[in-house]
Amino acid sequence: MSAGIPLNQNVINMEYAVRGPLYHKAAELRSKGRNIIPCNIGNPQALGQTPISFYRQALSLLEYPPHIKRERTLKGQAPALKGMDNQEWISDYVLDFSEDFLTKMETGMGAYTDSKGPRFIREAVSRFIDKRDGVTPDRGVPSIPDHIFLTDGASEGIKNIMELLISDGNDGIMIPIPTYPLYSATIARLGGAQVNYYPDEDSGWTLNREILEESFSRAKKDNVRVKAIVVINPANPTGAILDRKSIKEIIEFSGEKGLVIFADEVYQDNLYGSEFMSFAKALGDNRDIPLFSFHSASKGFYGECGHRGGYFEVRNPPGSPGGDNGFIDILFKQASVNLCSNTIGQALIYLLSSPPPEGSEPYDQFNREKQGILADLYEKAVMIKDSFKEMKAVECFGRVGAMYLFPRINHLPGGKTDFDYCMSLLEETGLTTVNGSGFGQRAGTHHLRIAFLPPKDTLEDVLPRWIEFHNNYIRD
Ligand SMILES: Cc1ncc(COP(=O)(O)O)c(C=O)c1O
């Protein structure tokens, strides 16, 4: 047997509930032939969501450019090919779009790119941000392409910025509780201090100054130097969407305490009728507060998790030796160590930033698919939320956003935890959820997170079984 090697204790201490014991139990049951409904993770295409045709047509051509010419030639012979079944031509718009992308990409899809990502993609992202935030030549603050970095999913950017901020156990990051466990796990891995703040569940997960101050002063008492605050909007795991007042409170608070803001906005398209206010827009011309905003190709209606596309934008880069550019240079160095993010993810970020304009050939289909996915997600959320009304001692707060519901279970049988509940639910019904304690929660409360992603007929089958399970379980 080989000698033991001392391992990094930070990594050993790190926890990641989304792929924890429930995930492994579900895999074990599936291998035994059980029907498992994986609502434990926001992975839409794993639950049958169809990719957006515009994205996939372009990606296929980018990866194999000879098909652009082939498609044009075949289309020229269309009358002769009329007899072919289900022949669907790729529109000239997509062919031109793909050709144009490859011209700008210069070195193609198989070469390393600039470590920040190609400039033309960052320019497209910058236009996307300005359009989203209603920036015009005489209104708003335009984003700067050189302050945008393309990343392998939003996760990579989040980890890199955290790494820059945490140098020892006294460096603290405020995170919402419940939280997306990437944050708690990354802070643990880097050996930093996790500083919890608790949005008010009963008022729909809103925030006020008292909540933020309480968290900050607790950290100060423990000699923690708080450097940043993380905000997830719309939120994972609660699905809540922050109101303007809460956003304003966070900005004012961060300004006073000298904090960096992490705005995790990967669910900015998962709103279902509510309004989204980006932190970049809310910050306006405030030049004092450093802001990192994160977005991703994994969520929204795009749902391309496996392709790992993401970006972050920096506003008001914090001072560093060498001034503003010094900070961007450090970020660039950090990105360079990874060479570059993957090019398919980069292309998806370009596609996400450059949807087909109204009147273009793919527009109608694109819009139909986009609206169809979002409407379907909302209907499924409502189906699940309605079923909570039939479960005793269950309440679910906040507007519907992101891809999750986070109901509170107000009563559990003696000695049982929400983890026990989720495990029994999985064993009895095949429905895989994640226990609230995996995201952190106020002491004495119990929750679970369910992703509202499975097809409706699957929900129609499993929800009555869940209701029955629940009402029996809490009676025990
Ligand atoms: C709030 C939040 N941020 C970031 C991520 C990571 O996304 P990506 O796939 O872009 O790394 C997720 C994924 O579920 C998320 O829920």
Side-chain angles (χ1 to χ4, degrees), residues 42 152-156 158 180 182-183 232 234 236 264 266-267 295-299 305 308-310 404:
D152 285 326
S155 307
E156 188 198 12
I158 293 165
Y180 175 54
L182 167 69
Y183 291 100
I232 310 173
N236 180 2
D264 182 330
V266 303
Y267 295 101
H295 195 21
S296 163
S298 299
K299 311 295 173 178
C305 301
R308 314 302 302 126
Y404 314 100

Side-chain angles (χ1 to χ4, degrees), residues 105-403:
M105 194 75 174
E106 291 176 355
T107 47
M109 297 296 286
Y112 293 132
T113 66
D114 180 282
S115 297
K116 282 173 154 174
R119 189 176 166 88
F120 79 96
I121 302 184
R122 291 183 283 111
E123 283 170 352
V125 172
S126 173
R127 286 193 295 274
F128 162 81
I129 293 170
D130 290 350
K131 184 159 183 237
R132 181 197 66 193
D133 292 345
V135 175
T136 59
D138 42 33
R139 209 183 56 212
V141 180
S143 72
I144 302 172
D146 277 340
H147 289 187
I148 292 169
F149 287 71
L150 304 188
T151 49
D152 285 326
S155 307
E156 188 198 12
I158 293 165
K159 285 187 273 190
N160 279 355
I161 310 296
M162 288 250 172
E163 190 184 15
L164 260 178
L165 293 177
I166 297 176
S167 38
D168 61 44
N170 287 330
D171 286 337
I173 311 281
M174 285 174 65
I175 61 170
I177 296 295
T179 198
Y180 175 54
L182 167 69
Y183 291 100
S184 41
T186 306
I187 295 169
R189 195 173 68 182
L190 295 168
Q194 174 180 322
V195 179
N196 297 342
Y197 69 90
Y198 297 85
D200 180 36
E201 177 169 18
D202 293 77
S203 67
W205 303 102
T206 55
L207 277 168
N208 57 44
R209 178 52 79 97
E210 214 180 312
I211 292 171
L212 299 170
E213 290 285 356
E214 185 274 327
S215 150
F216 189 85
S217 45
R218 201 174 357 96
K220 251 185 121 182
K221 240 186 258 151
D222 295 340
N223 287 328
V224 169
R225 187 172 51 230
V226 182
K227 288 187 162 175
I229 178 165
V230 171
V231 189
I232 310 173
N233 185 40
N236 180 2
T238 61
I241 301 170
L242 277 182
D243 56 16
R244 280 174 184 244
K245 192 162 165 284
S246 300
I247 293 177
K248 200 164 154 260
E249 291 281 7
I250 294 163
I251 291 178
E252 278 175 16
F253 172 80
S254 304
E256 273 173 39
K257 308 289 185 202
L259 304 183
V260 168
I261 300 178
F262 278 65
D264 182 330
E265 296 173 338
V266 303
Y267 295 101
Q268 61 188 266
D269 272 312
N270 298 98
L271 299 165
Y272 319 109
S274 294
E275 181 205 33
F276 172 70
M277 164 68 87
S278 76
F279 268 80
K281 183 170 182 177
L283 201 59
D285 56 9
N286 181 325
R287 303 267 170 203
D288 296 329
I289 305 173
L291 169 70
F292 295 89
S293 309
F294 302 88
H295 195 21
S296 163
S298 299
K299 311 295 173 178
F301 56 91
Y302 3 102
E304 295 281 5
C305 301
H307 281 131
R308 314 302 302 126
Y311 76 80
F312 67 85
E313 189 213 9
V314 192
R315 299 221 167 183
N316 308 326
S320 67
D324 281 5
N325 285 338
F327 186 83
I328 298 294
D329 288 348
I330 294 168
L331 290 176
F332 183 73
K333 184 170 68 179
Q334 222 182 6
S336 315
V337 176
N338 241 8
L339 299 169
C340 68
S341 60
N342 82 89
T343 54
I344 281 284
Q346 294 179 356
L348 266 165
I349 291 296
Y350 185 72
L351 286 157
L352 180 161
S353 305
S354 326
E358 211 171 332
S360 66
E361 284 165 283
Y363 178 78
D364 284 345
Q365 184 182 16
F366 174 81
N367 213 31
R368 203 171 46 247
E369 290 176 354
K370 169 182 169 178
Q371 301 307 343
I373 289 169
L374 293 173
D376 187 56
L377 285 172
Y378 183 63
E379 279 171 36
K380 294 189 291 201
V382 171
M383 274 173 82
I384 302 175
K385 233 180 155 174
D386 280 349
S387 69
F388 296 153
K389 293 182 196 149
E390 295 178 55
M391 296 183 196
K392 291 195 192 93
V394 170
E395 286 179 286
C396 188
F397 299 89
R399 286 178 284 176
V400 174
M403 298 178 169

Side-chain angles (χ1 to χ4, degrees), residues 19-38:
R19 297 208 178 221
L22 286 158
Y23 172 83
H24 293 295
K25 185 67 179 181
E28 181 200 317
L29 293 175
R30 187 183 293 109
S31 72
K32 291 181 181 156
R34 279 285 300 279
N35 179 28
I36 297 299
I37 308 150

